[in-house]
Amino acid sequence: MNDRVTSAMHALPDGEAELTLVVRLPWEDIARLGQEAGRLAAQTRRPVTLDEAVSHRLRSARAAAHAKPAGEQPPAVASAASVSSLPARPPAEQARQAIDRINGTA
């Protein structure tokens, strides 16, 4: 871990979490993020920061990872049983518990 920066993570009321981190990237990746910010700015018709571009990219990648190809059948019920059967909790509570686990206070 980098001692120069204290990582901060906060649970947000909408059930998401906000975290601050420092990432070392090659200039080529920074340039790609700049291009992503430019595309996003053109779509939203407002200036976009690299932070917003990264967040958008991560959200897009997560949504794409969950997307199913056309015509794919839903998984069988038996396979759903292999997934942890945790009780449903509000998103804000899930975020708080995840943050507590990461911080070692759970």
Side-chain angles (χ1 to χ4, degrees), residues 25-39 50:
L25 298 171
W27 284 109
E28 294 82 16
D29 291 343
I30 300 296
R32 284 189 210 103
L33 286 173
Q35 291 173 342
E36 179 75 20
R39 283 191 293 274
L50 288 181

Side-chain angles (χ1 to χ4, degrees), residues 8-102:
M9 193 175 328
H10 306 284
L12 301 175
D14 62 0
E16 293 187 344
E18 179 178 278
L19 95 120
T20 304
L21 55 104
V22 174
V23 181
R24 293 179 58 171
L25 298 171
W27 284 109
E28 294 82 16
D29 291 343
I30 300 296
R32 284 189 210 103
L33 286 173
Q35 291 173 342
E36 179 75 20
R39 283 191 293 274
L40 190 55
Q43 287 176 352
T44 61
R45 298 180 185 202
R46 65 174 179 79
V48 173
T49 65
L50 288 181
D51 291 350
E52 288 178 278
V54 169
S55 180
H56 182 262
R57 171 67 62 96
L58 289 171
R59 289 171 189 270
S60 298
R62 183 178 64 187
H66 294 298
K68 293 185 175 34
E72 184 176 317
Q73 297 297 321
V77 175
S79 67
S82 66
V83 176
S84 175
S85 58
L86 297 174
R89 297 173 305 201
E93 179 62 23
Q94 291 176 2
R96 272 192 289 280
Q97 288 179 351
I99 291 168
D100 288 344
R101 281 193 300 269
I102 290 168

